[in-house]
Amino acid sequence: MFERRILLVEDEESLVLVISDRLKSEGYQVECAGDGESALAKAVSASFDLIILDVALPKKNGFDVCRDLRQRGNETPVLMLTARGQVVDRVIGLKLGADDYLTKPFDMMELLARVEALMRRSRATVEKPSESYAFGDVRVDFRKAVVTRDARTVELSGLELRLLRYFIEHRGTLLTRDELLDKVWGYGATLATRTVDVHVAQLRQKIGAEHVVTVHGLGYKFVS
Ligand code: CA
């Protein structure tokens, strides 16, 4: 079971607090952005299951953020928060690639219902491809545990396959050595973090070094 990550983009601090507290209490992991530019930067540098996007924002409005995301090929579901009665807003929002909208002020239960519906939709589209994944000249079939590169089979150990899967599922996100030890090895941080470096080096040789980027002093990031 993976954490469900939500990017909450809203500049009204009181609303940010109320929404993020509620989402966290429902078990979601919440990241916040207070303006359109930082929202876009966060949305493209990490993967989220859902973006809750206010329309009226400093620096770049929600419509522009949504349009820029879609133009960059980012398909993360977007739930837009629009001002009361602005029907035009909704139409524009949906045209620009938002998946749903909610008019302010809204009931928290209504927000949660929309969030859950969008999550289910995004899970449904995400789950199938996650059984197989392609990047560069590499094809991974997790179900059969088969990896090919340039149509030739690549031998990966069980650990390397788990590591690769964790990388793919968290692509674009900075992963620290401690997190990898914890989630892939399952030993917590009792093993030397050097162990991670050794296995990442082996994995790089097999799938192409360019796909696992070293973030100096911090950890690794998978890029497809
Ligand atoms: Ca606002």
Side-chain angles (χ1 to χ4, degrees), residues 10-12 54 56-57 104:
E10 170 61 67
D11 58 321
E12 238 171 280
D54 185 30
L57 290 169
K104 287 179 175 179

Side-chain angles (χ1 to χ4, degrees), residues 104-118:
K104 287 179 175 179
F106 48 79
D107 188 83
M108 204 50 75
M109 291 309 288
E110 180 64 26
L111 176 75
L112 287 177
R114 302 290 180 93
V115 166
E116 273 162 31
L118 286 170

Side-chain angles (χ1 to χ4, degrees), residues 14 16-17 27 36-37 85 91 112 141 149 161 165-166 180 184 198-199 201 204 214 222:
S14 55
V16 171
L17 272 179
E37 278 174 12
V91 176
L112 287 177
D141 184 332
R149 186 176 179 190
L161 200 62
R165 178 164 206 152
Y166 198 78
L180 290 169
V184 178
V198 171
H199 287 273
R204 272 185 174 143
T214 303
F222 179 85

Side-chain angles (χ1 to χ4, degrees), residues 137 147-155:
D137 52 3
V147 179
T148 59
R149 186 176 179 190
D150 201 12
R152 276 188 292 271
T153 305
V154 179
E155 298 293 339

